[in-house]
């Protein structure tokens, strides 16, 4: 069976909405020729921001348009993404639902907290299959621990567990599950009486909204929370306060750039870099914050919007020491941005080399990255001679290698 192309999906969705190509072009602010060529499979892909605009105009998530995989690579007997969904959407927590009286005794709080720490490491290492098999039980145990010993520390760690659930769900193409997990994260952070954990929850929410294509809301919630948590004095602020504040600024900058407000995005990242300079490298609340983290986002926003600046992105990338990036998947994401900048400046071989490098380091993570798959589709369309390495990569990413 032939794999449906992006153009096939656009045509199917457009006809389901009963709108013409011209009407879709007007709604998406995209040239009608782009839509026509995609639907005719004359073109097999387009710039990621063009595809985002089309998805928004068609009222679907970008993952639906791209056919992003929504399953992990390995099957698990104990968990998996469906088990994760069930753990997030806890039926027993709904009003009016009678609770199960035959509850198992919860684990010891310190042992459970250790499992959350291990799960956090797995997420940032890109070990999604293993994480999806253990995280559902961690969530269920965490709720039980909180019922028995609801200390501020336990509620804080339960908030972190839901943050992991939201992040994994969004990465796996399930942003609606992610939104539900963020709700639980914010509720647990409030029970912990921890405004910084709540701030990280808003940062996660902003990212989930970004994945849903709700850019204005993503920017607004992060900016408002950053303003609320801005330390009155950087000299007296703790590293954790500066890290959460800086993460919120970074979270706000990304959707601002997507909305073509690059000047605002640059301003936000400049403020974040000031905070990172003052704080030094920080690991707190399941995340990391440092000057190098901010600089990777400077590269990212140079590529965003309707008028990307790939040459500027490559210039900014020279200020990034990849070895200093604390989180493996963050390093991979930055290198995908570098690959995109190389591709857009005409260095197709350099882009492919970088993508293959990332795949070697993060073979599971890269399968969930819409930007990488979209870039490979474009590269296949533009190839002038058969490139075996490119076509092999396309097959592994689920991109039709017969293009």
């Amino acid at each position: 069976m032939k794999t449906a192309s992006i153009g096939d999906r656009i045509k199917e969705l457009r006809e389901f909405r009963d709108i013409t190509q011209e009407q879709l072009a007007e709604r998406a602010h995209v040239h009608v020729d782009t839509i026509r060529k995609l639907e005719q499979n004359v073109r097999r892909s387009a710039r990621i921001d063009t595809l985002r605009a089309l998805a928004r105009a068609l009222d679907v998530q970008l993952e639906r348009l791209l056919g992003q995989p929504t399953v992990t690579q390995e099957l698990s007997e104990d968990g998996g993404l469906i088990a994760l969904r069930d753990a997030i959407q806890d039926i027993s927590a709904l009003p009016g639902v009678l609770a199960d009286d035959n509850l198992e005794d919860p684990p010891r709080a310190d042992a459970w907290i250790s499992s959350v720490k291990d799960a956090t490491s797995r997420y940032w290492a890109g070990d999604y299959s293993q994480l999806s098999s253990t995280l559902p039980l961690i969530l269920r145990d965490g709720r039980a621990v909180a019922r028995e010993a609801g200390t501020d520390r336990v509620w804080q760690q339960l908030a972190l567990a839901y943050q992991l659930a939201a992040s994994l769900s969004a990465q796996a193409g399930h942003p609606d599950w992610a939104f539900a997990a963020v709700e639980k994260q914010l509720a647990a952070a409030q029970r912990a009486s921890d405004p910084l954990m709540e701030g990280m929850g808003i940062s996660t929410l902003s990212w989930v909204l970004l994945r849903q294509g709700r850019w204005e809301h993503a920017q607004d919630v992060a900016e408002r929370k950053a303003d609320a948590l801005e330390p009155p004095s950087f000299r007296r602020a703790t590293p954790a306060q500066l890290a959460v504040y800086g993460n919120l600024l970074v979270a706000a900058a990304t959707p601002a750039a997507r909305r073509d407000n690059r000047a605002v995005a640059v301003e936000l990242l400049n403020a974040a870099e000031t905070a990172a300079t003052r704080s030094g490298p920080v690991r707190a609340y399941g995340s990391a914050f440092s000057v190098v983290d901010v600089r990777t986002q400077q590269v990212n926003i140079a590529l965003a919007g309707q008028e990307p600046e790939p040459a500027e992105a490559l210039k900014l990338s020279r200020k990034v020491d990849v070895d200093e990036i604390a989180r493996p998947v963050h390093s991979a994401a930055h290198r995908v941005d570098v690959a995109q900048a190389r591709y857009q400046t005409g260095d197709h071989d350099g882009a492919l080399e970088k993508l293959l490098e990332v795949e070697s380091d993060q073979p599971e993570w890269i399968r969930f990255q819409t930007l990488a798959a979209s870039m490979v589709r474009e590269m296949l369309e533009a190839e002038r001679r058969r490139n075996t390495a490119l076509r092999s990569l396309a097959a592994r990413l689920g991109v039709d290698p017969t293009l």
Side-chain angles (χ1 to χ4, degrees):
M1 182 187 298
K2 185 180 184 298
T3 304
S5 68
I6 291 174
D8 295 336
R9 296 187 190 100
I10 291 171
K11 184 177 181 180
E12 178 184 341
L13 290 163
R14 179 181 60 77
E15 291 178 346
F16 178 77
R17 302 291 185 202
D18 195 23
I19 59 175
T20 66
Q21 291 177 337
E22 289 75 14
Q23 288 171 322
L24 176 58
E26 185 177 351
R27 286 173 59 91
H29 305 290
V30 169
H31 200 287
V32 69
D33 281 348
T34 299
I35 297 171
R36 190 173 294 122
K37 289 176 180 177
L38 284 168
E39 290 192 2
Q40 293 172 350
N41 288 318
V42 174
R43 291 187 59 180
R44 305 299 295 230
S45 188
R47 287 182 47 247
I48 194 70
D49 283 321
T50 299
L51 297 175
R52 283 194 180 100
L54 287 169
R56 193 180 185 94
L58 289 165
D59 196 27
V60 297
Q61 294 167 358
L62 178 62
E63 290 81 5
R64 168 84 180 271
L65 202 62
L66 295 180
Q68 178 187 348
T70 55
V71 295
T72 52
Q73 219 165 2
E74 299 173 12
L75 290 172
S76 168
E77 304 228 351
D78 301 321
L81 290 178
I82 294 302
L84 178 61
R85 179 204 63 187
D86 294 345
I88 293 169
Q89 299 174 353
D90 179 21
I91 297 173
S92 65
L94 294 173
V97 175
L98 297 179
D100 184 359
D101 292 330
N102 299 316
L103 297 176
E104 296 182 8
D105 292 334
R108 289 175 30 245
D110 56 350
W112 176 76
I113 288 172
S114 178
S115 71
V116 176
K117 182 178 180 181
D118 179 67
T120 302
S121 298
R122 289 188 182 279
Y123 176 78
W124 289 118
D127 190 0
Y128 293 166
S129 290
Q130 185 62 36
L131 179 60
S132 70
S133 73
T134 58
L135 191 52
L137 181 58
I138 289 173
L139 293 176
R140 290 193 293 270
D141 282 349
R143 290 194 293 268
V145 172
R147 283 194 301 268
E148 293 290 319
T151 64
D152 286 350
R153 173 67 170 160
V154 166
W155 282 109
Q156 183 198 65
Q157 292 300 300
L158 184 56
L160 180 54
Y162 277 114
Q163 178 173 299
L164 290 173
S167 301
L168 179 59
S169 296
Q171 285 282 16
H174 299 286
D176 296 336
W177 306 356
F179 189 93
V182 173
E183 287 187 280
K184 302 284 181 68
Q185 177 187 356
L186 291 171
Q190 285 194 332
R191 292 291 297 269
S193 302
D194 189 340
L196 294 183
M197 186 72 245
E198 190 175 299
M200 283 305 298
I202 297 299
S203 179
T204 307
L205 173 62
S206 175
W207 183 64
V208 171
L209 293 171
L210 183 73
R211 295 295 293 255
Q212 291 180 329
R214 299 162 68 178
W215 301 338
E216 183 177 354
H217 293 138
Q219 180 184 346
D220 183 61
V221 297
E223 268 197 278
R224 286 176 181 271
K225 199 65 173 181
D227 290 343
L229 293 179
E230 181 176 4
S233 168
F234 272 32
R235 187 168 61 86
R236 294 185 177 87
T238 67
Q241 287 175 318
L242 291 167
V244 173
Y245 169 66
N247 267 309
L248 285 162
L249 293 173
V250 170
T254 306
R258 296 284 182 272
R259 299 171 62 205
D260 287 317
N261 293 333
R262 190 168 297 154
V264 172
V266 169
E267 181 182 351
L268 289 165
L269 289 183
N270 285 342
E273 187 167 2
T274 300
T277 301
R278 180 66 189 174
S279 71
V282 182
R283 290 198 183 201
Y285 297 99
S287 189
F289 181 67
S290 67
V291 169
V292 73
D293 294 313
V294 177
R295 288 179 178 172
T296 62
Q297 290 306 111
Q298 292 170 343
V299 175
N300 180 268
I301 69 167
L303 296 166
Q306 293 300 313
E307 297 182 2
E309 298 179 354
E312 177 66 13
L314 290 175
K315 178 181 175 183
L316 290 167
S317 73
R318 288 191 277 274
K319 297 181 180 179
V320 176
D321 185 345
V322 176
D323 292 336
E324 291 183 2
I325 301 175
R327 299 163 290 180
V329 296
H330 186 192
S331 170
H334 169 67
R335 286 178 286 162
V336 169
D337 284 342
V338 172
Q340 183 186 16
R342 288 182 176 180
Y343 178 71
Q344 291 184 0
T345 54
D347 181 9
H348 295 193
D349 290 340
L352 177 59
E353 178 185 6
K354 186 62 66 175
L355 287 175
L356 290 170
E357 173 191 301
V358 172
E359 188 200 23
S360 176
D361 291 344
Q362 291 291 334
E364 184 171 14
W365 174 88
I366 198 172
R367 292 180 63 250
F368 293 97
Q369 305 312 306
T370 55
L371 174 59
S374 179
M375 201 186 324
V376 168
R377 284 190 185 93
E378 287 189 66
M379 293 166 75
L380 280 172
E381 186 176 3
E383 70 172 345
R384 290 180 172 80
R385 56 183 174 79
R386 189 176 183 88
N387 186 317
T388 302
L390 173 60
R391 287 172 177 259
S392 296
L393 176 62
R396 293 191 294 274
L397 297 186
V399 177
D400 187 354
T402 63
L403 298 181

